[in-house]
Amino acid sequence: KNEVEQSPQNLTAQEGEFITINCSYSVGISALHWLQQHPGGGIVSLFMLSSGKKKHGRLIATINIQEKHSSLHITASHPRDSAVYICAVSLRNTDKLIFGTGTRLQVFP
Amino acid sequence: ETGVTQSPTHLIKTRGQQVTLRCSSQSGHNTVSWYQQALGQGPQFIFQYYREEENGRGNFPPRFSGLQFPNYSSELNVNALELDDSALYLCASSSTSGSRDTQYFGPGTRLTVL
């Protein structure tokens, strides 16, 4: 079993839909990262959070430390949101980053 | 744009050869981490350098080695290349050691080993 699990693996949506991507982890962490990877490989950091909730534009990230679960929400989705979204956790003891396998999102006009 | 650059963009090598990949971090970032991402997988941590010293290593053999220089550039060297080394190699810089800080990723180097 992977230490970081994401669901769903693949997601398709119509433009304008509300999207939720989930991340569960089984290890002690000091922080959780949400990353966006576009075709071609470049990765952009969207959020880093250790508690509560963060919002940036149409993106919202939440984390529940007790339940070891985080969600990434996209409101009013747009085709340009199409990408792979990756959840990664910073291990508490080593500060090493462990990545999930990603959620491939496709938003159609 | 994250301010982190990598070179080359693509590289083709044959089994047994050696390769050096380069990363230029954001100015002021004294921590660089290297990751290997196989097709369809999430990145795997190779190692991290902080102030020119190795500061943590993942489950990669010694033929994966690195260097970090005072000018915020770094290298990943892989000796005796194997077919399974074919992957996207990403570097990420941050302003503090560890990973409890926002990571700024480069665009990656895609290595193909034939």
Side-chain angles (χ1 to χ4, degrees):
Chain A
K1 189 180 188 300
N2 292 335
E3 291 157 308
V4 181
E5 298 271 359
Q6 286 185 238
S7 64
Q9 285 187 310
N10 294 284
L11 185 55
T12 57
Q14 287 295 125
E15 184 173 356
E17 284 185 9
F18 179 82
I19 286 159
T20 296
I21 299 170
N22 295 299
C23 175
S24 296
Y25 53 92
S26 57
V27 291
I29 70 169
S30 54
L32 183 141
H33 303 252
W34 280 103
L35 309 165
Q36 181 191 57
Q37 186 170 32
H38 280 283
I43 291 181
V44 174
S45 178
L46 298 175
F47 295 104
M48 187 191 65
L49 63 169
S50 54
S51 66
K53 173 178 164 177
K54 285 191 176 179
K55 184 175 189 292
H56 182 69
R58 296 180 293 106
L59 302 179
I60 303 166
T62 64
I63 188 168
N64 184 319
I65 296 292
Q66 286 72 33
E67 293 186 5
K68 296 190 172 180
H69 181 269
S70 175
S71 293
L72 175 69
H73 306 284
I74 305 175
T75 61
S77 59
H78 191 276
R80 65 173 174 267
D81 297 328
S82 299
V84 175
Y85 291 84
I86 302 173
C87 167
V89 298
S90 302
L91 294 184
R92 186 185 297 140
N93 293 331
T94 68
D95 273 345
K96 185 173 135 181
L97 263 187
I98 305 289
F99 294 78
T101 53
T103 295
R104 184 174 300 278
L105 170 66
Q106 288 184 291
V107 182
F108 294 98
Chain B
E1 288 289 332
T2 63
V4 179
T5 60
Q6 289 186 244
S7 62
T9 308
H10 295 86
L11 196 53
I12 298 175
K13 290 284 189 178
T14 55
R15 200 167 46 180
Q17 284 189 308
Q18 178 265 342
V19 70
T20 297
L21 310 182
R22 294 182 172 82
C23 172
S24 180
S25 302
Q26 273 200 18
S27 181
H29 282 189
N30 51 22
T31 301
V32 65
S33 302
W34 284 91
Y35 301 92
Q36 180 195 65
Q37 186 177 23
L39 204 59
Q41 302 294 316
Q44 299 284 319
F45 174 72
I46 303 175
F47 44 57
Q48 181 182 90
Y49 277 77
Y50 172 66
R51 292 185 174 173
E52 301 163 48
E53 302 236 347
E54 191 176 289
N55 181 46
R57 190 178 182 93
N59 295 327
F60 281 81
R63 58 189 185 84
F64 285 78
S65 63
L67 284 172
Q68 186 185 26
F69 304 101
N71 65 350
Y72 307 113
S73 67
S74 60
E75 289 179 354
L76 164 65
N77 298 289
V78 187
N79 292 324
L81 284 167
E82 300 177 1
L83 297 179
D84 285 349
D85 296 334
S86 295
L88 180 70
Y89 288 85
L90 295 156
C91 72
S93 73
S94 62
S95 56
T96 59
S97 68
S99 60
R100 285 175 288 177
D101 196 1
T102 299
Q103 305 288 301
Y104 294 86
F105 286 83
T109 293
R110 189 163 295 282
L111 172 65
T112 302
V113 181
L114 303 175

mmCIF file of all heavy atoms in Angstrom, chain B residues 22-40:
data_model
loop_
_atom_site.group_PDB
_atom_site.id
_atom_site.type_symbol
_atom_site.label_atom_id
_atom_site.label_comp_id
_atom_site.label_asym_id
_atom_site.label_seq_id
_atom_site.Cartn_x
_atom_site.Cartn_y
_atom_site.Cartn_z
ATOM 1 N N ARG B 22 21.786 18.944 -15.089
ATOM 2 C CA ARG B 22 22.073 20.189 -14.392
ATOM 3 C C ARG B 22 20.810 20.942 -14.002
ATOM 4 O O ARG B 22 19.789 20.878 -14.689
ATOM 5 C CB ARG B 22 22.985 21.070 -15.242
ATOM 6 C CG ARG B 22 24.360 20.468 -15.428
ATOM 7 C CD ARG B 22 25.316 21.322 -16.234
ATOM 8 N NE ARG B 22 26.654 20.739 -16.183
ATOM 9 C CZ ARG B 22 27.073 19.736 -16.961
ATOM 10 N NH1 ARG B 22 26.262 19.224 -17.867
ATOM 11 N NH2 ARG B 22 28.301 19.265 -16.851
ATOM 12 N N CYS B 23 20.922 21.658 -12.899
ATOM 13 C CA CYS B 23 19.789 22.416 -12.369
ATOM 14 C C CYS B 23 20.316 23.752 -11.862
ATOM 15 O O CYS B 23 21.364 23.800 -11.210
ATOM 16 C CB CYS B 23 19.149 21.627 -11.231
ATOM 17 S SG CYS B 23 17.879 22.507 -10.299
ATOM 18 N N SER B 24 19.592 24.800 -12.163
ATOM 19 C CA SER B 24 19.948 26.111 -11.635
ATOM 20 C C SER B 24 18.800 26.592 -10.766
ATOM 21 O O SER B 24 17.677 26.773 -11.248
ATOM 22 C CB SER B 24 20.209 27.092 -12.780
ATOM 23 O OG SER B 24 20.562 28.353 -12.268
ATOM 24 N N SER B 25 19.063 26.721 -9.483
ATOM 25 C CA SER B 25 18.012 27.071 -8.526
ATOM 26 C C SER B 25 17.720 28.557 -8.546
ATOM 27 O O SER B 25 18.469 29.354 -9.115
ATOM 28 C CB SER B 25 18.453 26.690 -7.109
ATOM 29 O OG SER B 25 18.740 25.330 -7.023
ATOM 30 N N GLN B 26 16.618 28.903 -7.873
ATOM 31 C CA GLN B 26 16.330 30.310 -7.661
ATOM 32 C C GLN B 26 17.438 30.919 -6.820
ATOM 33 O O GLN B 26 17.966 30.289 -5.902
ATOM 34 C CB GLN B 26 15.015 30.467 -6.894
ATOM 35 C CG GLN B 26 13.785 30.493 -7.752
ATOM 36 C CD GLN B 26 12.599 31.110 -7.027
ATOM 37 O OE1 GLN B 26 12.752 31.805 -6.034
ATOM 38 N NE2 GLN B 26 11.404 30.874 -7.528
ATOM 39 N N SER B 27 17.762 32.164 -7.098
ATOM 40 C CA SER B 27 18.769 32.864 -6.313
ATOM 41 C C SER B 27 18.333 32.920 -4.854
ATOM 42 O O SER B 27 17.180 33.212 -4.550
ATOM 43 C CB SER B 27 18.939 34.282 -6.862
ATOM 44 O OG SER B 27 19.919 34.963 -6.124
ATOM 45 N N GLY B 28 19.266 32.578 -3.978
ATOM 46 C CA GLY B 28 18.952 32.602 -2.551
ATOM 47 C C GLY B 28 18.448 31.287 -2.011
ATOM 48 O O GLY B 28 18.364 31.107 -0.793
ATOM 49 N N HIS B 29 18.117 30.338 -2.876
ATOM 50 C CA HIS B 29 17.647 29.025 -2.426
ATOM 51 C C HIS B 29 18.848 28.125 -2.196
ATOM 52 O O HIS B 29 19.524 27.720 -3.141
ATOM 53 C CB HIS B 29 16.708 28.406 -3.466
ATOM 54 C CG HIS B 29 15.337 28.977 -3.433
ATOM 55 N ND1 HIS B 29 14.294 28.436 -4.147
ATOM 56 C CD2 HIS B 29 14.825 30.025 -2.749
ATOM 57 C CE1 HIS B 29 13.207 29.136 -3.906
ATOM 58 N NE2 HIS B 29 13.501 30.116 -3.077
ATOM 59 N N ASN B 30 19.094 27.758 -0.944
ATOM 60 C CA ASN B 30 20.270 26.960 -0.654
ATOM 61 C C ASN B 30 19.958 25.473 -0.526
ATOM 62 O O ASN B 30 20.795 24.692 -0.094
ATOM 63 C CB ASN B 30 20.960 27.463 0.618
ATOM 64 C CG ASN B 30 19.986 27.596 1.777
ATOM 65 O OD1 ASN B 30 18.939 26.954 1.777
ATOM 66 N ND2 ASN B 30 20.327 28.404 2.759
ATOM 67 N N THR B 31 18.735 25.091 -0.884
ATOM 68 C CA THR B 31 18.352 23.674 -0.832
ATOM 69 C C THR B 31 17.866 23.227 -2.204
ATOM 70 O O THR B 31 17.043 23.918 -2.816
ATOM 71 C CB THR B 31 17.225 23.452 0.190
ATOM 72 O OG1 THR B 31 17.668 23.873 1.473
ATOM 73 C CG2 THR B 31 16.829 21.982 0.238
ATOM 74 N N VAL B 32 18.387 22.109 -2.668
ATOM 75 C CA VAL B 32 17.908 21.545 -3.930
ATOM 76 C C VAL B 32 17.649 20.057 -3.728
ATOM 77 O O VAL B 32 18.422 19.366 -3.078
ATOM 78 C CB VAL B 32 18.907 21.790 -5.080
ATOM 79 C CG1 VAL B 32 20.221 21.070 -4.846
ATOM 80 C CG2 VAL B 32 18.304 21.368 -6.408
ATOM 81 N N SER B 33 16.528 19.617 -4.248
ATOM 82 C CA SER B 33 16.168 18.200 -4.193
ATOM 83 C C SER B 33 16.032 17.674 -5.608
ATOM 84 O O SER B 33 15.615 18.407 -6.511
ATOM 85 C CB SER B 33 14.839 18.008 -3.453
ATOM 86 O OG SER B 33 14.902 18.528 -2.147
ATOM 87 N N TRP B 34 16.384 16.420 -5.779
ATOM 88 C CA TRP B 34 16.260 15.778 -7.086
ATOM 89 C C TRP B 34 15.249 14.635 -6.982
ATOM 90 O O TRP B 34 15.230 13.894 -5.988
ATOM 91 C CB TRP B 34 17.613 15.229 -7.539
ATOM 92 C CG TRP B 34 18.561 16.271 -8.044
ATOM 93 C CD1 TRP B 34 19.484 16.970 -7.315
ATOM 94 C CD2 TRP B 34 18.694 16.732 -9.392
ATOM 95 N NE1 TRP B 34 20.185 17.835 -8.127
ATOM 96 C CE2 TRP B 34 19.715 17.706 -9.399
ATOM 97 C CE3 TRP B 34 18.059 16.421 -10.600
ATOM 98 C CZ2 TRP B 34 20.117 18.364 -10.565
ATOM 99 C CZ3 TRP B 34 18.452 17.071 -11.756
ATOM 100 C CH2 TRP B 34 19.469 18.040 -11.737
ATOM 101 N N TYR B 35 14.447 14.491 -8.039
ATOM 102 C CA TYR B 35 13.409 13.464 -8.077
ATOM 103 C C TYR B 35 13.467 12.745 -9.421
ATOM 104 O O TYR B 35 13.798 13.340 -10.449
ATOM 105 C CB TYR B 35 12.020 14.084 -7.913
ATOM 106 C CG TYR B 35 11.841 14.843 -6.620
ATOM 107 C CD1 TYR B 35 12.095 16.206 -6.547
ATOM 108 C CD2 TYR B 35 11.429 14.191 -5.461
ATOM 109 C CE1 TYR B 35 11.953 16.902 -5.366
ATOM 110 C CE2 TYR B 35 11.277 14.885 -4.276
ATOM 111 C CZ TYR B 35 11.541 16.240 -4.242
ATOM 112 O OH TYR B 35 11.398 16.930 -3.067
ATOM 113 N N GLN B 36 13.077 11.471 -9.381
ATOM 114 C CA GLN B 36 12.937 10.673 -10.597
ATOM 115 C C GLN B 36 11.457 10.354 -10.772
ATOM 116 O O GLN B 36 10.807 9.874 -9.853
ATOM 117 C CB GLN B 36 13.720 9.357 -10.471
ATOM 118 C CG GLN B 36 13.633 8.468 -11.700
ATOM 119 C CD GLN B 36 14.097 7.054 -11.415
ATOM 120 O OE1 GLN B 36 13.478 6.329 -10.641
ATOM 121 N NE2 GLN B 36 15.197 6.653 -12.032
ATOM 122 N N GLN B 37 10.933 10.638 -11.956
ATOM 123 C CA GLN B 37 9.518 10.347 -12.207
ATOM 124 C C GLN B 37 9.407 9.424 -13.409
ATOM 125 O O GLN B 37 9.623 9.850 -14.558
ATOM 126 C CB GLN B 37 8.722 11.628 -12.446
ATOM 127 C CG GLN B 37 7.230 11.393 -12.575
ATOM 128 C CD GLN B 37 6.438 12.674 -12.745
ATOM 129 O OE1 GLN B 37 6.962 13.684 -13.176
ATOM 130 N NE2 GLN B 37 5.153 12.630 -12.388
ATOM 131 N N ALA B 38 9.055 8.172 -13.155
ATOM 132 C CA ALA B 38 8.816 7.229 -14.242
ATOM 133 C C ALA B 38 7.448 7.526 -14.845
ATOM 134 O O ALA B 38 6.584 8.135 -14.206
ATOM 135 C CB ALA B 38 8.864 5.804 -13.705
ATOM 136 N N LEU B 39 7.248 7.074 -16.059
ATOM 137 C CA LEU B 39 6.013 7.357 -16.786
ATOM 138 C C LEU B 39 4.796 6.868 -16.003
ATOM 139 O O LEU B 39 4.757 5.715 -15.558
ATOM 140 C CB LEU B 39 6.085 6.658 -18.145
ATOM 141 C CG LEU B 39 5.208 7.244 -19.258
ATOM 142 C CD1 LEU B 39 5.585 8.700 -19.512
ATOM 143 C CD2 LEU B 39 5.359 6.438 -20.530
ATOM 144 N N GLY B 40 3.832 7.740 -15.792
ATOM 145 C CA GLY B 40 2.603 7.351 -15.115
ATOM 146 C C GLY B 40 2.714 7.248 -13.606
ATOM 147 O O GLY B 40 1.750 6.834 -12.944
#
